[in-house]
Amino acid sequence: MSSFRFLLGGLAAALIAPSIAAAEVAVEAPWVRGTVAAQRATGAFMRLTAPTAVRLVAASTPLAGTTEVHEMAMDNDVMKMRPVAALDLPAGVAVELKPGGYHIMLMGLSAPLGAGAQVPITLTFEHPDGRRVQQTVEAPVHALGAAAPAMSHGAHMRH
């Protein structure tokens, strides 16, 4: 009987462990910069905090033909934007996707994005073992030219 309880306990632990390992990344303050009629690209921004080390390896939205993770960085005194294959999210550390830094680029927009609209963005995270999980977030559109949403004081202290 005790070996049956041991087996049952092990089975329960095996069933619970994947849900703990697959805990979602905290996504805070997501937003998308609004566009004008002829504009075909914009950026999405947010703060990501992973409970365990993962990498952001892809993003997608049905509202854009192409969605990529990008970074802006100085190169010989020139600010350049380029796609990155992955963005490391260390365990418990808030990583800011913001204008002028890492962000999600939405290109080939199917329609202009006006203030107040919601943009569904599916983020793909890769765990160290190669397992990939997806998480969808709804990001509100802020008017073109509007200031970025303010972060909480705690978030400033962690990046």
Side-chain angles (χ1 to χ4, degrees):
M1 182 71 156
S2 65
S3 60
F4 176 73
R5 282 188 211 160
F6 179 76
L7 179 62
L8 190 56
L11 180 59
L15 293 173
I16 292 169
S19 64
I20 292 170
E24 290 189 346
V25 171
V27 179
E28 299 174 87
W31 66 283
V32 173
R33 181 175 286 134
T35 64
V36 295
Q39 190 175 340
R40 304 276 300 155
T42 193
F45 313 97
M46 61 198 73
R47 187 174 36 259
L48 303 172
T49 307
T52 61
V54 296
R55 298 178 338 141
L56 174 62
V57 295
S60 63
T61 179
L63 303 181
T66 303
T67 307
E68 297 175 340
V69 180
H70 275 209
E71 78 169 327
M72 291 189 74
M74 292 299 287
D75 184 14
N76 294 324
D77 295 327
V78 176
M79 183 64 84
K80 293 188 177 182
M81 181 173 58
R82 66 182 178 96
V84 294
L87 175 59
D88 290 331
L89 303 178
V93 176
V95 175
E96 190 79 22
L97 278 64
K98 61 185 178 182
Y102 288 106
H103 59 281
I104 296 172
M105 198 70 200
L106 289 68
M107 299 171 287
L109 294 171
S110 56
L113 300 177
Q118 293 286 320
V119 177
I121 301 172
T122 300
L123 306 171
T124 302
F125 300 102
E126 183 178 80
H127 290 264
D129 64 5
R131 182 175 41 93
R132 290 186 174 199
V133 294
Q134 292 186 326
Q135 187 173 330
T136 300
V137 62
E138 291 286 328
V141 176
H142 291 209
L144 184 63
M151 293 188 306
S152 69
H153 180 68
H156 281 292
M157 302 303 287
R158 294 191 326 209
H159 65 96

